Amino acid sequence: MKQGVYQHYIQGGIKFGIAYGVVSLLARWITGNTILSSPETLVKYGLLGGIGYALMGAFSLFLFGWMAPKIRERFPNAMTIGDVLQERLDSKSYWFVMVVLLITSIDSLFVQALGVGILFHLLFNIPAFVGLFIFFIYCFLLAGLGGMNRIHRFEGLHISLIFAAIIFIPVYFFIQEGVFPVYDGLHLYHPYLLFLKNSSVTPFILTALLIGFGQVLIDRASWQRLYIIEKNKVRTSFMMTGFIWATIPLAFSAMTVIAIFNQGYKNIYSVLYELIGKIDSLFLILLFIGSCFSALASTIGAELHATSIMIVRNMLNVKYKWSEQSQLKKTYFIAGILSLILFIISSILTPNLLELIFFFGQVYVAIIPTMLAILFYSKKVPPYLPYCSLVGWVSGMTTLHFHSSIYSIWVSFVVASLLVMVSISYNEMKHYYRVNRIK
């Protein structure tokens, strides 16, 4: 069947096998957070923290990949996460969940934009706003105007640059310097990185796994790729992506070690600048800059594309019922507005990314039980069920005033999970009594 113009913009013209599916998913999930948060996690929690950060993404993609074929079977005609929600929820519940998704979408784009600002400030000797303006123009032309078809064309190039950098740079340096001098330097200057009995590592890893799964579960771009990959290959594609993705944070952790093994550092973001100072090959410097640009552009492009579609297709069009051509034009406009907002934000703000991710962690974990019920509960979803996530989030935010962010995230998840189970149990009891009354 021939695709409509807007469907072609959303999905591109072909179905992916495993190889292209993995490339497309990696292009979405090798992000600015991976580049910036991996060094921060390593410095804060040591080598075990770096390993835990790698496990976070792998576990999240494994679990979503395990669920993917069941989702495809149950919702065969969907193209986006909004399509599934519209099928399963009543009007009020649907709009509540869509507003939550819009907030998390803007937050995700916001975090990526901040990463762009930090990296451009560190890597280029030009005014930050000039580089950022060029970058967001590129993202808008790539994803906002080009759609999924153009995104596919550039994903291979982006992933090739990223993997070339993470392979060649550590190998080049360790061959040049040797492994033992690096270990001795770490032992002298940063012995805390080698300490394996850090009691705070385990809670961090478990919490990061939970947040990571929540992010993947409601990620608009991943849901689009769920329906672009061939049905019988979707599980393998997600799981292979998880295995491969886990090597990326470890590679950036190795680059962090290269930068600091024989010296101190001012702050975590200066580590990347120190790394460039350690590399004496112009080719490798350009390769590293190209890999950073590729990771940021592919991620922001995918999210910009998916978020613009969600706003137009699953929010505005529900009310206005535009034609496909009108939806396409409105999506171009929304993508341009989002690109402009991201440019302004990344030009003026530079907060701590790891803290920001954990601050919004309550939202991601509180929505997990609700989404699982929406996807797999066999009967009609109770209209009040999505509000369990709201109560869970409020509970977590309340405890944040008295405990750490990690503790509050688990409070959000546990409260939301208990309320969802109570809601479903109550709905089952009502169904049981209604059936027996009829008999």
Side-chain angles (χ1 to χ4, degrees):
M1 182 182 294
K2 186 177 180 180
Q3 287 187 328
V5 61
Y6 197 49
Q7 184 180 350
H8 188 273
Y9 176 82
I10 294 173
Q11 293 191 317
I14 60 172
K15 290 290 185 181
F16 281 172
I18 293 173
Y20 280 105
V22 170
V23 168
S24 186
L25 289 168
L26 286 172
R28 161 62 189 96
W29 284 108
I30 301 176
T31 68
N33 294 347
T34 311
I35 298 171
L36 291 169
S37 298
S38 296
E40 186 171 355
T41 303
L42 176 72
V43 169
K44 191 171 183 179
Y45 295 100
L47 293 176
L48 287 180
I51 295 171
Y53 190 87
L55 291 175
M56 174 194 76
F59 171 83
S60 303
L61 290 165
F62 288 163
L63 197 51
F64 191 76
W66 177 77
M67 294 163 44
K70 299 178 182 178
I71 297 172
R72 286 285 295 269
E73 288 176 7
R74 191 164 190 199
F75 308 101
N77 298 318
M79 288 191 290
T80 67
I81 185 175
D83 295 344
V84 173
L85 294 172
Q86 194 170 3
E87 181 179 335
R88 290 287 286 154
L89 299 174
D90 67 6
S91 179
K92 290 183 179 178
S93 299
Y94 172 76
W95 281 107
F96 171 74
V97 177
M98 290 307 297
V99 168
V100 173
L101 288 183
L102 180 61
I103 292 171
T104 56
S105 301
I106 299 300
D107 162 58
S108 184
L109 280 167
F110 174 64
V111 170
Q112 297 302 324
L114 294 176
V116 173
I118 292 168
L119 284 169
F120 269 76
H121 175 71
L122 292 172
L123 299 178
F124 298 106
N125 190 24
I126 58 174
F129 71 90
V130 174
L132 289 169
F133 181 77
I134 296 171
F135 177 83
F136 284 109
I137 287 291
Y138 173 80
C139 290
F140 174 66
L141 294 175
L142 171 69
L145 293 183
M148 187 61 75
N149 199 36
R150 189 175 295 171
I151 291 174
H152 291 337
R153 291 179 184 176
F154 283 84
E155 282 172 340
L157 174 62
H158 290 159
I159 293 300
S160 297
L161 287 172
I162 292 168
F163 275 91
I166 66 172
I167 292 171
F168 288 134
I169 293 175
V171 169
Y172 172 84
F173 186 85
F174 284 119
I175 289 176
Q176 188 179 52
E177 294 289 335
V179 175
F180 288 108
V182 173
Y183 174 81
D184 292 338
L186 279 180
H187 198 271
L188 178 63
Y189 286 91
H190 308 283
Y192 55 90
L193 296 182
L194 305 174
F195 187 59
L196 300 180
K197 295 182 179 180
N198 188 339
S199 60
S200 62
V201 170
T202 301
F204 165 76
I205 293 175
L206 294 176
T207 307
L209 293 177
L210 201 61
I211 294 173
F213 178 58
Q215 287 179 314
V216 175
L217 189 60
I218 61 172
D219 180 66
R220 290 76 46 213
S222 295
W223 274 82
Q224 284 181 247
R225 283 147 182 79
L226 170 66
Y227 283 96
I228 293 171
I229 301 169
E230 293 177 19
K231 183 179 176 181
N232 62 337
K233 298 176 181 177
V234 65
R235 176 176 290 170
T236 304
S237 297
F238 271 91
M239 290 189 170
M240 286 188 66
T241 302
F243 275 115
I244 297 170
W245 187 92
T247 65
I248 309 298
L250 296 178
F252 279 105
S253 295
M255 292 186 192
T256 304
V257 168
I258 291 170
I260 66 174
F261 82 95
N262 61 354
Q263 63 184 41
Y265 55 91
K266 294 180 182 179
N267 57 65
I268 190 60
Y269 299 132
S270 68
V271 170
L272 293 177
Y273 185 78
E274 299 291 343
L275 175 63
I276 292 178
K278 290 283 182 69
I279 301 172
D280 55 11
S281 167
L282 178 61
F283 169 75
L284 291 180
I285 291 174
L286 293 176
L287 186 61
F288 178 72
I289 293 173
S291 71
C292 292
F293 180 89
S294 296
L296 293 163
S298 60
T299 302
I300 289 184
E303 293 217 41
L304 181 67
H305 178 255
T307 302
S308 303
I309 290 169
M310 184 186 74
I311 293 172
V312 174
R313 175 182 171 86
N314 299 123
M315 299 183 78
L316 297 178
N317 193 56
V318 171
K319 180 178 180 181
Y320 295 106
K321 304 297 181 183
W322 292 312
S323 67
E324 283 207 356
Q325 194 65 46
S326 295
Q327 289 182 66
L328 185 61
K329 291 179 181 178
K330 300 296 190 299
T331 304
Y332 291 159
F333 176 75
I334 294 296
I337 295 297
L338 287 174
S339 298
L340 179 61
I341 293 172
L342 293 172
F343 164 67
I344 295 171
I345 288 173
S346 56
S347 297
I348 60 178
L349 295 177
T350 55
N352 184 296
L353 291 185
L354 202 59
E355 289 182 4
L356 195 63
I357 292 169
F358 270 80
F359 178 78
F360 281 94
Q362 285 96 348
V363 178
Y364 291 116
V365 302
I367 206 169
I368 290 174
T370 296
M371 279 299 300
L372 292 177
I374 290 170
L375 294 174
F376 299 115
Y377 183 50
S378 59
K379 298 182 178 63
K380 183 179 179 181
V381 176
Y384 46 81
L385 187 139
Y387 300 98
C388 298
S389 295
L390 177 62
V391 176
W393 174 74
V394 171
S395 301
M397 293 301 294
T398 302
T399 58
L400 191 59
H401 296 287
F402 311 101
H403 298 281
S404 66
S405 59
I406 290 179
Y407 182 89
S408 67
I409 286 168
W410 281 96
V411 169
S412 294
F413 177 70
V414 171
V415 171
S417 299
L418 290 174
L419 290 175
V420 166
M421 287 188 288
V422 170
S423 300
I424 291 177
S425 300
Y426 176 69
N427 197 61
E428 287 291 320
M429 290 173 60
K430 285 203 317 183
H431 177 75
Y432 174 79
Y433 285 123
R434 185 163 53 248
V435 170
N436 283 330
R437 190 180 305 151
I438 293 173
K439 290 180 179 180

